Amino acid sequence: MRMKDKVALLSGAAGGMGAATARLLAREGAKAVIVADLLDKEGEAVVADIAKAGGRASYAHLDVTDEAQWKGVIDRILADHGQLDVLVNNAGISGSAEQDLYDTAAWNRLMGINATGVFLGMKHAIAAMKKAGRGSVINLSSVSGIVGQGNIHVGYNASKGAVRLITKAAAAQHGRDGIRINSVHPGLMPPMRTSGRTADPATRAKTLKGVPLGRAGEVDEVAYAILFLASDESSYVTGAELVVDGGWTAV
Ligand code: NAD
């Protein structure tokens, strides 16, 4: 039971890698898993699945761009469970639907959700974790936070690059508070809900040619990386970037 006695909050966990991770943390015996998202019906369904499998979970509506909602959700967790041990900043949107890779509204949307959303989550979770003197924050970046791509909005790379460096800065600042902060960088995974061009089978096949393992990743393969960082097994790991990309960025 790798998550025994731990309370974990995951943003954007109504589907995709967030939902897979919520299920895994619950299977590993978490004291409570809080599934947060904008999509209430889908999020409630993930919680119902976890409960059916014998796990402990609840749902919270959370728009990661809204600071008051972050504060409300974390205050509620502290009131209900008395602790917050793990934050998985997973919510995000894709940059592959826009035609204009310099569209200003898309830049603001991408930075608002993918970067500011992570900043706000860290701000409020770290304040709670500092009081307890322990905690683990896992921020979902991407291979797009390490290398550029030709066919996605520049704001996606900028936002994921920001997540990579916010992670390292916060790790440097909060090590002595007992809080570890790491980033996870998935490569070619099942398309995001908001994917455009990158969901196209021909585009995916072309991308795969550059992936040494020769296949796309599965959501559980990222969930297990997050589990490692959330558990005490990674007790000496902070400020690290864990790439889960089949070797994409190694070549
Ligand atoms: P997904 O689209 O399946 O899930 C993202 C979730 O975030 C959705 O449930 C969505 O409702 C939620 N969300 C969006 N905006 C939100 C907001 N303002 N507030 C709260 N929730 C919001 O995508 P996924 O593939 O599971 O991606 C999870 C994370 O991994 C994202 O940060 C993404 O950028 C990153 N990532 C994905 C891939 C990929 O290929 N799928 C690759 C690398 C990194």
Side-chain angles (χ1 to χ4, degrees), residues 212 214 242:
L242 181 43

Side-chain angles (χ1 to χ4, degrees), residues 12 16-17 37 39 62-64 90 141 156 160 186-187 190 192-193:
M17 294 190 271
D37 209 293
L39 304 173
L62 171 67
D63 178 344
V64 295
N90 167 80
S141 177
Y156 189 75
K160 294 299 184 181
M192 296 173 70
R193 212 178 267 278

Side-chain angles (χ1 to χ4, degrees), residues 20-247:
T21 307
R23 290 190 175 96
L24 180 59
L25 299 187
R27 281 204 301 280
E28 287 296 333
K31 181 177 167 191
V33 172
I34 295 87
V35 170
D37 209 293
L38 290 172
L39 304 173
D40 300 340
K41 204 161 71 79
E42 290 86 343
E44 297 278 14
V46 173
V47 166
D49 270 4
I50 291 173
K52 211 185 295 166
R56 290 176 287 261
S58 59
Y59 178 72
H61 180 86
L62 171 67
D63 178 344
V64 295
T65 64
D66 184 330
E67 183 160 9
Q69 289 188 25
W70 269 114
K71 190 170 177 327
V73 167
I74 290 174
D75 284 351
R76 180 74 194 271
I77 291 171
L78 295 178
D80 288 352
H81 304 289
Q83 65 194 89
L84 175 64
D85 303 287
V86 174
L87 169 66
V88 183
N89 266 316
N90 167 80
I93 54 169
S94 165
S96 75
E98 286 80 20
Q99 296 309 313
D100 178 358
L101 304 190
Y102 284 85
D103 181 73
T104 306
W107 168 271
N108 288 331
R109 207 164 45 241
L110 284 158
M111 294 303 283
I113 295 172
N114 294 358
T116 309
V118 168
F119 163 77
L120 292 175
M122 284 178 46
K123 173 175 170 178
H124 291 281
I126 286 172
M129 290 169 175
K130 262 172 106 165
K131 288 190 192 139
R134 65 169 194 278
S136 172
V137 177
I138 298 110
N139 294 327
L140 268 290
S141 177
S142 167
V143 292
S144 310
I146 301 174
V147 295
Q149 272 103 16
N151 62 348
I152 60 173
H153 192 288
V154 293
Y156 189 75
N157 294 95
S159 63
K160 294 299 184 181
V163 169
R164 176 174 173 266
L165 258 296
I166 296 167
T167 301
K168 292 185 196 301
Q173 289 163 12
H174 296 291
R176 283 176 174 74
D177 297 321
I179 305 169
R180 299 182 297 103
I181 303 146
N182 294 287
S183 56
V184 171
H185 300 255
L188 187 71
M189 301 302 298
M192 296 173 70
R193 212 178 267 278
T194 44
S195 287
R197 283 179 300 285
T198 51
D200 170 52
T203 306
R204 289 175 68 81
K206 200 167 145 205
T207 305
L208 264 186
K209 290 193 180 130
V211 176
L213 286 183
R215 63 170 177 84
E218 293 171 11
V219 290
D220 276 344
E221 293 177 308
V222 172
Y224 274 105
I226 297 171
L227 170 64
F228 168 66
L229 294 171
S231 77
D232 295 337
E233 293 158 14
S234 57
S235 50
Y236 201 54
V237 181
T238 194
E241 42 191 277
L242 181 43
V243 173
V244 187
D245 70 347

